[in-house]
Amino acid sequence: MKICVVGTGYVGLSLAVLLAQKYDVVALDISKDRVKNINNKKSPIKDAELEDFLLHKPLKLKSTINKNEAYSNADFIIVATPTNYDVTTGSFDTSTVEGVISDCLEINSKGLIIIKSTIPLGFTDKMRNKFNKADIIFSPEFLRETKALYDNLYPSRIVIGSKSKKAVKFGEMLLDCSFYSEQDIQLFKMKSKEAEAVKLFSNTFLAMRISFFNELDSFAEIQKLSSEKIIQGVSADPRIGNYYNNPSFGYGGYCLPKDTKQLLDNFNKIPNNIIKAVVEANKTRKDFVIKSILNKHPDTVGVYRLIMKEGSDNFRESAVLDILNNLKRRKIKVILYEPFINKNYFNDIEVVSNLNSFIARSDLIIANRLSDNLNHVLDKVYSRDLFQKN
């Protein structure tokens, strides 16, 4: 049994490591550095479980930039390449996924292709028709950044966008490599378009929950009430729960912004209020945060980290970026502290590598998530992080 995983971002690499516990896995990537790191048992991604498994576990894993080596004789080809949502056109750029499918079929026409990338509704059926191949399915991932392998080892559920024997076999392999048993976890089998909808609605619900608590926090800040006490009282209801309730500058990351916008686009001719409101609420929250910052009349705003959450090394679609860029457009002097940026400037904004210098030069420090590094200067920090959790 050979498995090919295309793309070694946090989705692809976590799946490759998960399955390599019991199966032969070849991870394909265009980055020579990533391939070299993986073959040297070093994770190119900040993820505690990934780092530990690569370094200490006996894995049947090899990484390569050679397409023939990766695709040849593979029984399963997992596509985990990035896609981007274009707000202007209201559509995804899925060229990387289509390119992978095309390349794969030139070398191997028999393997089952499993799409794990974020894709628009109906995309899998479109690919089946385009390439005249039934063995293309969608299987959504439900992974948290910095916890990708953990969430594969302890999945909330496994969703397979097909009922074919090969597809069900793939779902069983994911279950077999997890730390759960068949009694612990549900394996859902459905149409690929239904599986695509599961992913979009799941992420949009999470975005809605984040937006709800952010709006609660906006209300409390204006009314000079304790957000923390209100949230604790609300969350004590077991029907609501004490999770995904820590205020922030807005939701961001790999999936939530593009999934919510894409789902809204699919509601174009379908009556809706909530989905539209989720997208608009995130913009409203950022506008509120910017207004709160401006009301403090700082001469220099220091932005402490672009990352969305503690322990991450990614700031793709970070809400902090929108805050930073908006302040810049308003001619506010902004400096940035971000250890993952090894340059003097980021988007024409000065990057200050020395933390003490950054703190000293900032009249106001904004931080989406607090850090022990700022404990001694909390009087000059603006953050809505109440519970110090992601």
Side-chain angles (χ1 to χ4, degrees):
M1 189 80 71
K2 178 184 174 182
I3 301 166
C4 168
V5 178
V6 187
T8 60
Y10 79 102
V11 174
L13 185 57
S14 64
L15 282 165
V17 170
L18 174 84
L19 292 164
Q21 294 176 98
K22 297 187 178 183
Y23 303 97
D24 291 321
V25 178
V26 178
L28 177 65
D29 203 285
I30 58 174
S31 169
K32 292 181 180 179
D33 288 338
R34 277 181 173 263
V35 167
K36 182 179 179 180
N37 279 333
I38 294 167
N39 288 332
N40 287 333
K41 302 183 180 296
K42 295 179 182 177
S43 175
I45 298 164
K46 195 169 180 60
D47 183 301
E49 283 76 22
L50 270 177
E51 292 167 9
D52 177 56
F53 270 59
L54 280 169
L55 192 59
H56 299 116
K57 302 291 182 182
L59 302 174
K60 301 177 181 179
L61 175 63
K62 180 182 180 182
S63 192
T64 183
I65 60 171
N66 188 309
K67 295 177 183 178
N68 280 287
E69 182 181 4
Y71 294 135
S72 294
N73 302 314
D75 300 283
F76 299 92
I77 301 94
I78 300 171
V79 185
T81 54
T83 55
N84 288 303
Y85 183 79
D86 188 327
V87 179
T88 305
T89 62
S91 62
F92 264 102
D93 176 6
T94 56
S95 57
T96 59
V97 178
E98 295 184 51
V100 167
I101 295 173
S102 179
D103 288 347
C104 175
L105 292 178
E106 286 183 9
I107 299 167
N108 178 355
S109 61
K110 295 181 179 180
L112 174 69
I113 296 175
I114 305 107
I115 300 172
K116 283 282 186 179
S117 304
T118 302
I119 55 172
L121 202 63
F123 178 80
T124 307
D125 289 340
K126 181 181 175 182
M127 292 301 98
R128 286 173 177 162
N129 293 330
K130 178 178 179 177
F131 294 102
N132 192 27
K133 180 177 172 64
D135 281 346
I136 301 176
I137 71 166
F138 178 72
S139 175
E141 47 79 18
F142 307 101
L143 310 178
R144 295 168 295 170
E145 191 181 335
T146 76
K147 286 287 186 181
L149 180 55
Y150 180 93
D151 289 339
N152 269 314
L153 293 168
Y154 301 96
S156 57
R157 72 280 206 198
I158 294 172
V159 177
I160 302 296
S162 174
K163 297 180 182 179
S164 71
K165 288 184 178 179
K166 282 185 179 179
V168 173
K169 173 63 178 175
F170 176 72
E172 291 171 346
M173 289 163 61
L174 292 177
L175 178 57
D176 182 43
C177 291
S178 78
F179 287 177
Y180 282 153
S181 66
E182 290 183 30
Q183 290 73 39
D184 299 319
I185 194 71
Q186 284 185 282
L187 174 59
F188 295 99
K189 294 159 278 189
M190 59 187 73
K191 296 176 183 176
S192 272
K193 194 169 184 178
E194 291 167 340
E196 292 164 355
V198 167
K199 177 67 183 298
L200 293 179
F201 277 99
S202 293
N203 279 343
T204 300
F205 183 87
L206 293 176
M208 179 179 69
R209 187 177 173 97
I210 293 169
S211 298
F212 177 88
F213 285 102
N214 279 342
E215 291 202 354
L216 184 161
D217 181 63
S218 296
F219 174 87
E221 187 175 353
I222 288 175
Q223 296 288 334
K224 294 182 170 49
L225 303 173
S226 169
S227 292
E228 184 174 357
K229 290 178 180 177
I230 298 171
I231 291 172
Q232 287 173 336
V234 169
S235 300
D237 187 327
R239 296 169 300 176
I240 297 172
N242 185 27
Y243 62 94
Y244 254 67
N245 58 1
N246 190 24
S248 65
F249 291 166
Y251 62 76
Y254 282 105
C255 294
L256 297 191
K258 60 184 179 183
D259 281 3
T260 52
K261 290 170 185 173
Q262 199 236 139
L263 183 59
L264 178 59
D265 186 61
N266 280 282
F267 266 92
N268 187 34
K269 296 182 180 180
I270 299 173
N272 81 94
N273 294 107
I274 294 175
I275 309 302
K276 186 185 302 178
V278 172
V279 175
E280 292 176 352
N282 206 40
K283 181 180 183 301
T284 299
R285 175 61 172 180
K286 294 171 189 174
D287 290 343
F288 173 79
V289 168
I290 291 163
K291 185 177 180 180
S292 296
I293 293 168
L294 295 175
N295 284 342
K296 297 179 185 299
H297 306 291
D299 290 324
T300 301
V301 174
V303 178
Y304 179 81
R305 311 300 305 271
L306 295 178
I307 56 173
M308 287 294 295
K309 57 181 68 176
E310 187 67 29
S312 170
D313 60 355
N314 162 64
F315 42 85
R316 179 179 176 184
E317 293 292 335
S318 168
V320 188
L321 280 171
D322 288 333
I323 306 296
L324 180 150
N325 289 327
N326 197 299
L327 291 171
K328 177 185 168 187
R329 285 196 297 271
R330 292 170 183 262
K331 308 300 182 183
I332 302 295
K333 181 173 176 56
V334 180
I335 59 175
L336 171 64
Y337 176 77
E338 179 50 75
F340 285 114
I341 297 177
N342 298 314
K343 297 183 294 184
N344 294 327
Y345 286 88
F346 174 80
N347 289 354
D348 296 326
I349 291 173
E350 182 184 357
V351 178
V352 181
S353 58
N354 183 278
L355 180 60
N356 290 330
S357 175
F358 166 80
I359 291 172
R361 291 176 57 189
S362 302
D363 298 310
L364 178 71
I365 298 170
I366 63 171
N368 187 58
R369 288 292 175 251
L370 291 172
S371 165
D372 291 343
N373 290 335
L374 301 176
N375 282 349
H376 63 297
V377 287
L378 288 179
D379 58 318
K380 65 176 355 182
V381 175
Y382 177 77
S383 176
R384 304 313 301 159
D385 180 8
L386 303 180
F387 303 110
Q388 282 76 65
K389 65 180 183 180
N390 292 326

